Amino acid sequence: GAVVSQHPSWVICKSGTSVKIECRSLDFQATTMFWYRQFPKQSLMLMATSNEGSKATYEQGVEKDKFLINHASLTLSTLTVTSAHPEDSSFYICSATWTSGTYEQYFGPGTRLTVT
Amino acid sequence: AQSVTQLGSHVSVSEGALVLLRCNYSSSVPPYLFWYVQYPNQGLQLLLKYTTGATLVKGINGFEAEFKKSETSFHLTKPSAHMSDAAEYFCAVSVGYGNKLVFGAGTILRVKS
C-alpha cells in the first residue's frame, strides 16, 4: 500500500515552454503533498507543501509564479514549470501523506526534467 | 529550526562487513527521524523511522538504527553489507505528523566485492 506515482518519468522541453508534472496517490487519499527538487549529487530541497483544496505554501526562495502547484483532489497534485529555462533542469520528486498519524511521507519515483 | 548532519558523503565497505552511516540532528522539539534509501534515478524508499517508544528501530533489508537523545544521533547500521545495499542514504527529521522533512546531505554507500 501507500503507492505514489509520477508522470512523466522524464521530459525534455525547449526553453520558454511550460511543462506539467503529475503526482498521484494510487491507493490512499493524500491530504498533503510535498514537492522536492534534487540537483545532481545533492540532497532533496523542499519546494512547497500543498494541502488539498488550499493554496500551496512555498519555501523561501522558490518562485511561486514559476512553479505552479495545484492540489485539486485528494489523489492528484500537479507541478507546472512555467517558461522553463535550462537552470530548471533537475529531478523533481513528490511525496504524499494523510491524516492518520503515520508520521511518514511516501515518495514518488521522480521526474527528470531537461530544458534545452 | 531542525537540521540534519550526515557525517561522510561517501562510505565504502566490503561485502559482508558492518555498515555504519552516521546521522546527527538538531531539533528544538522531540523529533521524528527517518532513514531513506535512493537508487539512481529513483525516488526514495523508507528504510525505517523513529517516532516514539523503543529507541532501537528495525527496518527493511536488515537495517536498524538507534535513537540516542543524549547524543542527538540516529546512526544507521547493518551487520553484513550486501552488494545490493550500494545506494545513497538520506537521514531526515520532521517535527511532527505530516510536517515537512529536512534532509541531510546524503551518504553514498559503496560495497566492494
Side-chain angles (χ1 to χ4, degrees):
Chain A
V3 179
V4 176
S5 70
Q6 281 184 242
H7 178 80
S9 55
W10 60 270
V11 57
I12 301 173
C13 70
K14 293 187 176 181
S15 187
T17 62
S18 296
V19 61
K20 180 184 287 187
I21 301 170
E22 293 185 349
C23 176
R24 293 182 184 273
S25 56
L26 300 185
D27 52 2
F28 66 98
Q29 293 186 321
T31 51
T32 304
M33 288 185 170
F34 302 85
W35 286 95
Y36 296 86
R37 184 174 181 176
Q38 186 178 31
F39 289 104
K41 302 187 187 304
Q42 294 188 28
S43 188
L44 283 75
M45 298 299 295
L46 180 67
M47 299 175 66
T49 303
S50 75
N51 294 294
E52 186 265 340
S54 304
K55 288 185 177 180
T57 301
Y58 291 81
E59 294 299 299
Q60 191 172 8
V62 177
E63 298 177 62
K64 56 184 67 176
D65 294 332
K66 180 167 189 60
F67 299 100
L68 302 179
I69 291 172
N70 184 285
H71 191 166
S73 78
L74 285 172
T75 59
L76 174 65
S77 177
T78 59
L79 167 66
T80 302
V81 183
T82 62
S83 187
H85 291 284
E87 56 265 31
D88 298 325
S89 299
S90 190
F91 194 52
Y92 293 87
I93 304 176
C94 73
S95 70
T97 190
W98 70 86
T99 55
S100 66
T102 63
Y103 307 111
E104 65 184 272
Q105 298 174 22
Y106 297 90
F107 285 80
T111 297
R112 174 74 59 192
L113 169 63
T114 301
V115 184
T116 61
Chain B
Q2 297 73 44
S3 66
V4 175
T5 302
Q6 290 184 240
L7 298 176
S9 58
H10 292 77
V11 171
S12 182
V13 301
S14 297
E15 190 173 20
L18 171 72
V19 175
L20 170 61
L21 304 182
R22 300 178 186 274
C23 172
N24 287 89
Y25 70 91
S26 172
S27 177
S28 57
V29 297
Y32 298 143
L33 296 159
F34 305 82
W35 275 101
Y36 287 89
V37 61
Q38 184 181 34
Y39 296 96
N41 295 310
Q42 295 186 28
L44 275 66
Q45 180 182 13
L46 180 68
L47 283 176
L48 47 79
K49 64 184 178 187
Y50 169 79
T51 53
T52 58
T55 56
L56 180 63
V57 292
K58 296 184 183 298
I60 62 172
N61 302 337
F63 285 94
E64 62 181 38
E66 186 171 11
F67 170 60
K68 291 188 177 181
K69 184 178 179 180
S70 61
E71 298 178 9
T72 61
S73 69
F74 191 57
H75 302 330
L76 181 71
T77 61
K78 182 174 180 178
S80 178
H82 190 273
M83 296 297 289
S84 62
D85 295 327
E88 187 159 19
Y89 293 79
F90 292 95
C91 181
V93 62
S94 169
V95 289
Y97 155 74
N99 284 5
K100 60 184 181 182
L101 291 170
V102 175
F103 286 89
T107 297
I108 295 174
L109 175 65
R110 178 184 170 219
V111 182
K112 300 175 291 184
S113 59

